[in-house]
Amino acid sequence: WTFVGVWITHVILSWLDYFIISQTAGEYQLLMGPLGALTTLQFNLTAAPASQPRNAFFSQVIALSICHFLHQIQDLDRWHRCALAPAIVAATTARLGIIHPPAGATAVLFSYDSYKPEDMIIFLGGIAIAIFTAVVINNLSDKRQYPSGNWNLLHPHA
């Protein structure tokens, strides 16, 4: 299930990236790096808190928001931004109880260069697609349950 889940998810995400690039003449794209880390968690550690949809989605929102804020500071150069972003994201998500390691990768990636809000929205769309495919594919197996715990909508008493 791991190979199939990751493969199908990235086929969908890669097609979406190709579509976005072709429709916008290369102005926008879906940044894939943190999505590879996300799908590794979703299909290998289905019960881990860091893999759960709440952590995956909201930690990414926090990472993108912090990067956007850091880009607003005029005198903050790239190397300071790239050091501050993952540090702030790691501390903030830990404090909020929504630790998700790929959000650290997102912080580095989006702090390195300047991105538009549209890039961030596209990226969050990629997160949502990855979550949806992980829910569908993982639950095709009797041996897997995703999401688990409070996020389990298919088996609420599990």
Side-chain angles (χ1 to χ4, degrees), residues 90-157:
T92 303
T93 57
R95 179 74 176 134
L96 295 173
I98 54 171
I99 296 170
H100 179 67
T106 299
V108 171
L109 185 63
F110 277 87
S111 66
Y112 191 76
D113 284 322
S114 183
Y115 290 96
K116 299 175 186 173
E118 294 88 349
D119 295 308
M120 296 177 177
I121 291 167
I122 291 168
F123 182 74
L124 286 176
I127 297 292
I129 290 168
I131 290 170
F132 177 79
T133 57
V135 169
V136 171
I137 294 169
N138 276 316
N139 288 300
L140 291 174
S141 170
D142 292 339
K143 297 178 181 175
R144 290 178 181 241
Q145 176 182 322
Y146 183 81
S148 65
N150 294 335
W151 280 89
N152 184 2
L153 303 177
L154 301 176
H155 307 283
H157 302 291

Side-chain angles (χ1 to χ4, degrees), residues 3 18 28 45-46 53 79 90-91 100 117-118 138 143 153:
F3 176 86
Y18 173 78
Y28 300 108
L45 299 172
T46 57
W79 69 273
H100 179 67
E118 294 88 349
N138 276 316
K143 297 178 181 175
L153 303 177

Side-chain angles (χ1 to χ4, degrees), residues 10-146:
H10 282 277
V11 164
I12 294 167
L13 293 171
S14 296
W15 178 85
L16 178 62
D17 180 45
Y18 173 78
F19 178 78
I20 291 167
I21 290 170
S22 66
Q23 294 300 307
T24 65
E27 184 176 355
Y28 300 108
Q29 68 177 6
L30 175 60
L31 298 172
M32 300 289 283
L35 295 171
L38 170 61
T39 56
T40 299
L41 286 173
Q42 290 174 318
F43 292 100
N44 283 307
L45 299 172
T46 57
S51 304
Q52 300 309 303
R54 176 180 69 103
N55 291 24
F57 189 79
F58 291 115
S59 67
Q60 296 290 0
V61 170
I62 289 168
L64 293 170
S65 299
I66 288 169
C67 289
H68 182 73
F69 171 76
L70 290 175
H71 277 286
Q72 304 312 306
I73 302 172
Q74 296 293 327
D75 294 331
L76 190 60
D77 56 30
R78 178 186 288 180
W79 69 273
H80 279 106
R81 217 176 30 247
C82 287
L84 279 171
I88 294 169
V89 167
T92 303
T93 57
R95 179 74 176 134
L96 295 173
I98 54 171
I99 296 170
H100 179 67
T106 299
V108 171
L109 185 63
F110 277 87
S111 66
Y112 191 76
D113 284 322
S114 183
Y115 290 96
K116 299 175 186 173
E118 294 88 349
D119 295 308
M120 296 177 177
I121 291 167
I122 291 168
F123 182 74
L124 286 176
I127 297 292
I129 290 168
I131 290 170
F132 177 79
T133 57
V135 169
V136 171
I137 294 169
N138 276 316
N139 288 300
L140 291 174
S141 170
D142 292 339
K143 297 178 181 175
R144 290 178 181 241
Q145 176 182 322
Y146 183 81

